[in-house]
Amino acid sequence: MLHWLTDTHFKGDPSDKPGPVSPEVAAAALLIEAAHRDSNYTEIERDLATSAIMKMFRKDNAEAVALRREAEAAQASAPYMMRYMTAARDLDPDTKEKFITQLWCVIDSDREETVAESMLVSSVIDVLGISRERARSLRPALPRGEG
């Protein structure tokens, strides 16, 4: 099934298919994808992605910025996100939960969740094996009067 998805969703020469990606780059690329889903990738979302990388992977600011930039390039060149969802499955359970929390933070940064963002979260949690209830419980509460 995964080969079918890859073959039918990847456009171009089969020899151009990208190689393996680390779980860290994959998670970061999915954060970047979430930020792009509303067609407005802001400086706030860039900073949130950097902060999320620091929290999830215990990176200093310079390392987190470098990983964010690598993820931005990966996201920009990716014809599909399934590759990153699959690679993110290799995160340890605690980091997966931190990732879902950070994904919500990026999505909620503009106080409006789009259908495209909802679909991304749904796909990510399905691939990572996280229940909808657990994913909802990992969503940080918005401050009163917002959202």
Side-chain angles (χ1 to χ4, degrees):
M1 177 71 162
L2 186 57
H3 292 293
W4 176 83
L5 285 170
T6 302
D7 292 342
T8 59
H9 287 75
F10 184 84
K11 308 295 183 220
D13 185 333
S15 65
D16 291 339
K17 286 186 183 178
V21 63
S22 74
E24 292 82 11
V25 170
L30 289 166
L31 291 174
I32 302 304
E33 177 66 17
H36 278 275
R37 285 285 168 119
D38 63 2
S39 302
N40 188 23
Y41 184 44
T42 66
E43 192 63 36
I44 291 170
E45 290 168 322
R46 278 185 200 91
D47 291 345
L48 281 170
T50 302
S51 175
I53 291 165
M54 291 171 70
K55 291 173 187 173
M56 289 186 303
F57 305 123
R58 296 187 175 141
K59 304 273 187 196
D60 65 29
N61 189 63
E63 293 170 323
V65 167
L67 181 54
R68 189 202 74 223
R69 287 181 178 152
E70 183 180 354
E72 287 169 338
Q75 182 275 338
S77 66
Y80 56 92
M81 289 292 113
M82 181 55 79
R83 167 178 189 233
Y84 299 112
M85 291 180 216
T86 302
R89 281 193 303 212
D90 289 338
L91 296 169
D92 65 72
D94 184 55
T95 304
K96 283 180 187 177
E97 290 196 351
K98 288 178 186 175
F99 165 63
I100 296 301
T101 298
Q102 296 306 314
L103 189 63
W104 284 125
C105 289
V106 169
I107 288 170
D108 290 338
S109 67
D110 61 3
R111 307 295 186 236
E112 185 179 330
E113 182 180 340
T114 67
V115 172
E117 290 168 334
S118 296
M119 291 174 59
L120 178 66
V121 170
S122 181
S123 295
V124 167
I125 65 174
D126 285 347
V127 172
L128 295 184
I130 296 173
S131 72
R132 298 200 187 303
E133 295 77 24
R134 183 65 185 142
R136 277 193 294 274
S137 76
L138 293 169
R139 189 176 200 167
L142 293 175
R144 289 199 180 274
E146 298 184 31

